[in-house]
Amino acid sequence: MHSNPAPVSAPTQNEPGARPQRIQVVRTNPDINHPEFTTLQHLGYDGTTPPGSLQRTLEAVFPLLRSQHKQGTRFANPCALVTATTPSTEFIAAARREQHRWWSWLNEAFYSSTRVKRMIRHMDSISRQLHFTGVMIINGKHVRPNQWPDSRDSPQETSPVGQVFGRLTVKSELQGGFCHCQCHCGKTTDVHRKHLRSGGTSSCGCLRAEYDQRLQDKKLTRAWLHS
């Protein structure tokens, strides 16, 4: 990875519409070389350096998961910690937003969602959660990603207008679940909500063009060196 996610001016913030102190989101810049280390810290890991190996990472995470009954309801990934006094659709929606924000940043960093999927394909379940999907604890119980509650009924998920997904900012909603978006490069495009929220689409196409140009430049460089 070649850059860090943009820092958040206020490290702690209450989610819009949430009751005071019920839901809290703390955003941090992850350790780019060891993103799982930041997730471990959000779960309560008190080590000062990354565990250093997969085996040691697993040895560190399992005691944390067993002790989450003391910490209630939370979601942790490499760039955010979401905590709540009680489980709610608002908490699930906040967790999903932070999951998608991390996914969008990965897509931008690697210029392709396909490359990100290929990167995590062979990870074990726990490593995948620490690096990518995030770890969810509800009422002290670790919940695997395929068992997460559905947040589609949350009112915070009904309107994406104003939200940023990768390089795309949603300007308005269209019929059929589509959103009219403006890209950081200045172009506009219409994208279905599910592709925005899944991280499948994070630009107007300029990311792919940049990635293709880099590949072309590398080919030309190799051809010149061997000529």
Side-chain angles (χ1 to χ4, degrees), residues 11 53 61 63-64 71-72 75 96 125 132 150 165 186 198 202 215 227:
S53 68
V61 72
L64 293 174
Q71 302 187 40
F75 169 80
R96 291 289 189 184
S125 174
F132 175 65
D150 196 341
F165 300 87
S198 69
S202 56
L215 288 180
S227 61

Side-chain angles (χ1 to χ4, degrees), residues 103-115:
W103 169 252
S104 295
W105 184 86
L106 285 175
N107 286 346
E108 184 170 351
F110 285 96
Y111 299 100
S112 168
S113 61
T114 302
R115 297 184 70 189

Side-chain angles (χ1 to χ4, degrees), residues 112-123 211:
S112 168
S113 61
T114 302
R115 297 184 70 189
V116 175
K117 292 176 182 178
R118 189 184 306 124
M119 178 180 67
I120 68 172
R121 183 177 301 160
H122 302 295
M123 287 183 177
Y211 176 62

Side-chain angles (χ1 to χ4, degrees), residues 48 60 63 66 80 86 103-104 119 134 148 152 166-167 177 186 192 213 215-216:
T48 56
R66 287 194 293 267
T86 58
W103 169 252
S104 295
M119 178 180 67
W148 285 11
R152 287 179 296 182
R167 294 187 176 185
H192 200 282
Q213 184 61 51
L215 288 180
Q216 183 65 24

Side-chain angles (χ1 to χ4, degrees), residues 190-204:
D190 297 337
V191 184
H192 200 282
R193 275 193 306 239
K194 67 179 181 181
H195 296 310
L196 290 172
R197 288 174 171 157
S198 69
T201 302
S202 56
S203 77
C204 65

